[in-house]
């Protein structure tokens, strides 16, 4: 089994505010990220695919197909957008923890049918100091 | 003369839309960046200071003082904010070109009086692929 | 389960010399690192925390609390210090292998009581070419 | 158990072309990489070694010995070379998937006899966007 | 005047061999790079454009137009190619010094007519350790 | 004229303490860096060489010769050392400003005689946030 990890980038804004918390609790929990005007990040997304190597092609996955899947299910909807306007975040706070779970759901629903490689890990870098992993 | 370049980071959102352009021209000029909900970036700011080295301390500038100046004149107002809500951008499009000019003005107005080091260059990285320099 | 990895930096000096080895063996085992005057590194520390995402806040851990814990138990004692003067290294050689174990002990002793997230991995980058992991 | 990951670099060229595929299939599967004149990469190789820490030296492995092993079994044969001319690729397509498997075989055959540390993972970065892992 | 520097990448192979040097001199001057089978690099190209900021758009250059110019004059011909097969290198050794001069010529010939921004610097990173600048 | 910038690394420790300042002033000016036990850094040194490209070799400088010059005049004396023990720092505080000046003097004294390339800039990265330039 070989694992291929491929990196993607998208730029988006968000505001962290939870409807289930008071105004004061929102300010305490999210600090500067609760600012009503929002702020933004250059996110880096890393998708890890695991599987056997095809004997004829020497590849674990067709990279253009993987790119198309990530583009159509995630990047097109998130890049240069306000995350709070993405449907899943109508009631969910767009923290990076929730964001990596939403991305994993979208990738899983769009994933290759049949005998293709397995989606093994979704990693999201929010800044140079924080990254989030969801291992399947 | 020695040059010290010190790096700072801030996260902010913005929307690119020029009041002096038609809707169609805005979409053509700014593309995805014209999306009404905005998007965001992890900006990296590099401030270059030039001057002689002080014989007693062996330093070109007192770094905590420089940090305080950059924090109070720029970072506090821009980090985790929507750039469109910063006063200078009430009528000015917050492109990185305009942003680096606004930052330079703020730094210059707050700069050390007297015989201190000179502000020589302001560099702004918008993404890993684009950086903007204003040389004084 | 989501994993958050957060990066910290500290600068420290050390000298590698083992009391249980002869002078000749010290020179052979540690090479340039055995130089009696010591040398130093910009270390990067990555702390990985794993746990469920809190439904109200959308977070796996309160990052300012994590930062405070790492600061008070590790960074305050190691940053801009000589590692050989840290208590644990009175008789232990401050190799990065031993350093990552000492850091893990300090983090574990200071760790959040109760139902908080789990400390899962401690990673230490000594240089761009060498990193050390201790998985719990 | 401590894991040490050490990074190496080598520059090499290759052409992706599979004898078991038609000309048309080769162009479709490999795209630009099927260009008959080849192209090249700055590869980064990361070797992860796992084991207990030696009580006397405080080390998991003797790094100069590890470097010698990687140099003599891999780097000397691959750096500044055309991968298609390396014996293993006489009939095998030098994709990064196959390359990481060939490197792992070479490292395993040259590995330390006896009670030394275990080879745990071989990672190959082809570009900044693609990396490949073979976990043992 | 604002300077925008935009980064591009291309992967290519080359062999260093000068027709005006003897075989022995070629081996001495180019070392491993003279290997007849060639080797390759992930090159990073940085194009610096200088000019006034347009009052209406807040931009120094239209980035999609710049990207199109760099793509059609340079990247399309060099990416995933053997540099020795590029016309300019029929008799010229494809060192990075010569490569940066060839790229600058191609950019200059394709440059925006009229009142557009000025091409100010072309920078080529061959590896993480070597970069080459041609300032206009 | 082409500029080649080549990067080198060295690890060293230092303590910042000026004999011409009082104890209190030392603590105020240098903060944590005045700690008597010292601390250390992974320094990155970038040497920029400028000159015409040799028509036969297509090169601006012979890189192995440049490497030998930097190794014998700087790296051998600074790598894995305590900077305070380097002769120039017997009475000079080893700030990065003074360090880049000492390195430039050593390079200039060892520089190629005759018609070789010119030493144009010496850059020293102390950490990811601070870099120092001495332009000749």
């Amino acid at each position: 089994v070989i694992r291929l990890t491929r990196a993607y980038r998208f730029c988006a804004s968000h505001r962290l505010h939870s409807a289930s918390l008071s105004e004061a609790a929102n300010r305490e929990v999210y600090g500067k990220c609760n600012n009503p005007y929002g702020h933004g990040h250059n996110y880096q997304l890393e998708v890890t695919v695991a599987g056997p190597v095809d004997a004829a092609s020497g590849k674990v996955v067709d990279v253009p197909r993987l790119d198309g899947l990530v583009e159509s299910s995630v990047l097109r909807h998130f890049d240069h957008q306000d995350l709070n306007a993405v449907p899943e975040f109508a009631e969910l706070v767009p923290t990076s923890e929730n964001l990596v779970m939403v991305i994993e759901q979208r990738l899983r629903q769009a994933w290759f049918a049949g005998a293709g490689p397995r989606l093994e890990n979704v990693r999201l870098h929010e800044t140079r100091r924080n990254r989030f992993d969801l291992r399947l």
Side-chain angles (χ1 to χ4, degrees), chain A:
Chain A
V1 168
I2 296 288
R3 285 164 179 82
L4 159 65
T5 301
R6 186 153 170 86
Y8 303 89
R9 296 177 169 281
F10 62 94
C11 304
S13 61
H14 68 162
R15 184 211 176 186
L16 301 188
H17 185 89
S18 172
S20 59
L21 297 174
S22 69
E23 287 298 316
N26 267 293
R27 279 194 298 275
E28 177 166 337
V29 169
Y30 301 118
K32 290 184 297 186
C33 304
N34 186 237
N35 151 36
Y37 301 106
H39 63 283
H41 297 292
N42 300 337
Y43 291 96
Q44 179 173 309
L45 171 67
E46 293 180 3
V47 177
T48 300
V49 158
V53 176
D54 178 74
S57 71
K59 296 197 164 185
V60 100
V61 67
D62 181 61
V63 169
R65 273 187 73 202
L66 177 63
D67 289 356
L69 188 157
V70 176
E71 167 66 25
S72 64
S73 62
V74 178
L75 302 182
R76 180 177 306 165
H77 309 281
F78 290 14
D79 187 30
H80 283 79
Q81 300 292 336
D82 179 355
L83 296 178
N84 301 68
V86 167
E88 285 94 334
F89 296 115
E91 312 226 341
L92 190 69
V93 193
T95 57
S96 288
E97 286 92 334
N98 284 336
L99 182 51
V100 79
M101 291 196 292
V102 163
I103 291 172
E104 184 270 336
Q105 285 168 352
R106 285 176 168 250
L107 289 176
R108 198 155 27 87
Q109 283 166 21
W111 203 249
F112 310 111
R118 201 164 63 79
L119 175 62
E120 194 190 70
N121 197 80
V122 180
R123 173 175 286 184
L124 186 71
H125 297 261
E126 183 187 67
T127 65
R128 279 207 199 172
R129 291 194 61 191
N130 288 344
R131 62 174 185 265
F132 300 81
D133 282 278
L134 196 168
R135 199 179 300 163
L136 279 88

